[in-house]
Amino acid sequence: NQDIVFNLNPPLFSGKLRKGAKITDLMEYGPVYHYLYRIYSEKYINIIKRFSIGDYKTFNFKVEDVNEMFHLVFIRSVTLNEIFYDKSTVVTGHKIVNNIKYHNIKTSQEYIEFNKNFPTGCFEKLTISKKYYGRDIIQTEVNSLPFYSEKLIDYLLDCGITGLEIKYKNSIQLDF
């Protein structure tokens, strides 16, 4: 239940940079806490607060030997039960080796079973409720990487946010 996260008051999370790692505004860390896949700079947090991201909670994260405070960010996720499977496309294989196979998934329970048997399977197209339309960050239970709006991506780039990886090729098509 995602509501539990909003009531957590953990001690300060901390970690250290790997040898040769570069400090950026978005960084991966380990070990990863479920739904908290990256750490973010104060600059990034201050930017996203001005955008439509839905319910969220931040947790302080201290990087050893770095003066700046970072944060873990939890954004309420689109759950498996909120996906319109009949309008989504689930695949296994890869286009580059021409072995794409389409799978007919109708319910969240079918998707859970599919994922057990095909852990590398993924959504080619993900259809969710229109209530999420207009959000600038959308997190889903089926993908560790959030979806960002073009407006937010442009603003983050204009502000010089570092560590942001923008991928259009082979990304999941989000539909409402």
Side-chain angles (χ1 to χ4, degrees):
N1 185 337
Q2 296 183 57
D3 290 329
I4 293 170
V5 176
F6 291 96
N7 296 318
L8 292 177
N9 289 309
L12 179 66
F13 291 102
S14 63
K16 58 183 172 182
L17 289 174
R18 290 191 175 131
K19 190 174 184 170
K22 181 181 172 188
I23 296 173
T24 60
D25 293 302
L26 287 82
M27 297 187 289
E28 293 183 0
Y29 72 101
V32 174
Y33 298 96
H34 197 55
Y35 291 109
L36 303 171
Y37 299 107
R38 285 166 194 73
I39 58 174
Y40 302 90
S41 69
E42 190 77 27
K43 179 180 175 183
Y44 173 90
I45 296 299
N46 289 333
I47 291 170
I48 67 166
K49 285 179 178 179
R50 295 181 252 167
F51 285 81
S52 174
I53 63 173
D55 295 338
Y56 71 94
K57 182 169 181 170
T58 62
F59 302 95
N60 291 340
F61 191 102
K62 175 67 178 138
V63 179
E64 192 176 296
D65 298 324
V66 175
N67 291 333
E68 183 180 357
M69 182 61 72
F70 283 81
H71 304 273
L72 297 167
V73 179
F74 173 79
I75 296 175
R76 188 178 296 277
S77 297
V78 176
T79 66
L80 293 177
N81 291 329
E82 294 178 286
I83 295 170
F84 297 119
Y85 293 92
D86 59 330
K87 296 177 182 176
S88 298
T89 307
V90 178
V91 299
T92 52
H94 300 279
K95 288 180 183 176
I96 201 160
V97 291
N98 200 27
N99 68 345
I100 290 286
K101 182 176 179 188
Y102 293 89
H103 299 270
N104 188 13
I105 308 291
K106 294 185 177 98
T107 66
S108 60
Q109 192 56 45
E110 282 183 23
Y111 178 75
I112 291 168
E113 290 303 315
F114 166 82
N115 201 36
K116 286 179 188 173
N117 295 320
F118 301 97
T120 60
C122 63
F123 282 87
E124 184 177 81
K125 176 182 165 190
L126 180 63
T127 305
I128 61 175
S129 171
K130 288 186 187 330
K131 75 179 183 180
Y132 294 102
Y133 185 80
R135 292 245 179 111
D136 294 300
I137 299 178
I138 297 174
Q139 183 69 56
T140 70
E141 287 187 346
V142 297
N143 193 24
S144 65
L145 295 173
F147 295 91
Y148 285 77
S149 69
E150 292 287 332
K151 176 176 69 173
L152 178 57
I153 290 170
D154 289 345
Y155 195 80
L156 291 169
L157 292 173
D158 287 347
C159 291
I161 292 296
T162 56
L164 184 65
E165 294 181 35
I166 302 164
K167 297 178 182 177
Y168 294 104
K169 190 175 184 171
N170 298 324
S171 63
I172 300 171
Q173 177 189 347
L174 185 62
D175 195 26
F176 301 92

